[in-house]
Amino acid sequence: MSGRRPLVAGNWKMNKTGVEAREHIARLRALLGDGELEADVAVCAPFTALEAAARAASGSPVEVYAQAVHEAPSGPHTGEISAGMIVATGSDGTLVGHSERRAAGETDAQVAARVRAALDAGLQVIVCVGESLAQREAGETEPWCEGQVRAALGRVRAEEVATLAIAYEPIWAIGTGRTATPETAQAACAHVRTVAAGFLDPAALRVLYGGSVTPDNARELMAQPDVDGALVGGASLDPDGFAAIVAEAP
Ligand code: PGA
């Protein structure tokens, strides 16, 4: 046993209105029950549903995260949201550096600044890293992820280890049904932890796996010694399926 508490987070991406978020969380709360859970549980809602989601989750173990954050506190950034705005919705945290954001132009420098801004505002952070299929096939997975981890953690302080998790999400596994094998996930998460050890206590840092996690494969993935939970996209949209994944946390 690693001693690290698992974290299972659902990334809703561009899905769910405020009303749908409320319904989803009500169902999730009923499924998870009142007892002590084996894992921390979070849902990453679209900006427009954050306030409704936070209200629906209030008083429950379900935490609410945004999916992205801008580094500036305010200003001429059309369409962006600051960390302070996310805090004001009653949310607990935010994703940073999801590959779908990086593909739309988010840079390593922005990821670092956004992690810093989120932590400064008191938000918890899940920062995402991961390689493309071409990079994996070229044998570049480790140096690529190392660069992303080093950049993302460049402005994090050692005492912040409990408020930050890293999600290793190979791009080729996201939304493809092509889940990494438990061995592949373990190797990459272990490597991420080794690189992160230059910044944060590796024994305390949570490293998640993401990419086509389902109720059927979640147990074996999360049982790996360096996999401390999951970031779940498609399979998190249905509260029953997401609760089934939470139940697989070791
Ligand atoms: P997926 O998405 O589970 O649908 O592959 C994971 C993610 O993008 O976080």
Side-chain angles (χ1 to χ4, degrees):
M1 295 300 286
S2 72
R4 295 180 293 273
R5 188 169 161 78
L7 168 60
V8 181
N11 176 11
W12 294 350
K13 309 193 180 187
M14 198 170 71
N15 294 284
K16 298 192 191 294
T17 63
V19 169
E20 289 164 342
R22 224 170 13 243
E23 290 169 359
H24 177 107
I25 291 170
R27 174 76 182 148
L28 189 57
R29 289 182 70 157
L31 290 165
L32 297 177
D34 295 327
E36 188 64 18
L37 297 175
E38 298 296 324
D40 290 339
V41 178
V43 296
C44 307
F47 292 137
T48 47
L50 284 178
E51 203 160 340
R55 213 173 290 142
S58 174
S60 84
V62 178
E63 299 192 318
V64 174
Y65 280 49
Q67 298 172 7
V69 62
H70 194 275
E71 65 273 30
S74 62
H77 306 288
T78 302
E80 298 288 347
I81 306 285
S82 73
M85 291 169 172
I86 294 170
V87 170
T89 66
S91 299
D92 304 287
T94 186
L95 295 180
V96 179
H98 190 282
S99 60
E100 289 160 10
R101 301 281 305 177
R102 292 181 187 262
E106 195 170 57
T107 65
D108 272 346
Q110 284 174 321
V111 169
R114 291 169 179 185
V115 167
R116 187 65 260 151
L119 292 171
D120 284 342
L123 292 169
Q124 297 173 73
V125 169
I126 300 173
V127 61
C128 306
V129 301
E131 81 287 1
S132 68
L133 184 58
Q135 288 168 322
R136 174 157 287 269
E137 287 176 344
E140 294 165 1
T141 296
E142 292 205 348
W144 177 257
C145 291
E146 174 167 351
Q148 287 189 321
V149 169
R150 286 186 181 283
L153 299 185
R155 297 171 63 181
V156 171
R157 295 189 283 273
E159 67 269 21
E160 292 171 322
V161 65
T163 50
L164 180 135
I166 300 176
Y168 166 69
E169 295 206 306
I171 295 167
W172 46 269
I174 294 177
T176 59
R178 187 177 166 188
T179 319
T181 63
E183 295 71 28
T184 298
Q186 162 59 24
C189 289
H191 176 250
V192 164
R193 187 182 309 286
T194 301
V195 173
F199 304 85
L200 298 167
D201 176 5
L205 175 68
R206 293 190 289 190
V207 181
L208 318 181
Y209 167 78
S212 297
V213 175
T214 67
D216 291 333
N217 60 33
R219 177 185 295 250
E220 225 191 327
L221 288 161
M222 293 192 286
Q224 301 304 310
D226 282 291
V227 179
D228 303 317
L231 181 55
V232 187
S236 76
L237 294 176
D238 164 36
D240 292 67
F242 184 58
I245 292 172
V246 173
E248 299 293 2

